[in-house]
């Protein structure tokens, strides 16, 4: 994912319920819910790609 020039790499570690994804940041090793990560990424440079 890329937002404001900053790139994030993560992997899905759990899908506790339909449409909810728990992800792990591959750089910081923090875990969080994907919707928390993308809720502020609405700028024109926002890009989410599957690798």
């Amino acid at each position: 994912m890329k937002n404001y020039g900053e790139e994030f790499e993560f992997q899905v570690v759990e899908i506790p319920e339909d449409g909810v994804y728990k992800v792990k940041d591959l750089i910081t090793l923090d875990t969080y819910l994907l919707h928390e990560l993308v809720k502020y990424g609405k700028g024109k440079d926002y890009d989410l790609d599957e690798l």
Side-chain angles (χ1 to χ4, degrees), residues 15-48:
I15 304 172
E17 58 186 76
D18 192 32
V20 177
Y21 302 92
K22 186 174 183 180
V23 297
K24 180 178 182 178
D25 187 307
L26 297 178
I27 304 300
T28 66
L29 304 178
D30 292 331
T31 58
Y32 37 83
L33 298 176
L34 183 61
H35 71 270
E36 293 173 347
L37 177 64
V38 299
K39 70 181 174 183
Y40 298 112
K42 305 296 184 191
K44 65 182 177 183
D45 71 330
Y46 179 76
D47 188 21
L48 178 62

Side-chain angles (χ1 to χ4, degrees), residues 1-15:
M1 180 178 71
K2 183 182 199 182
N3 192 24
Y4 291 108
E6 189 173 6
E7 292 189 23
F8 300 90
E9 292 186 31
F10 54 88
Q11 90 181 73
V12 175
V13 293
E14 186 179 354
I15 304 172

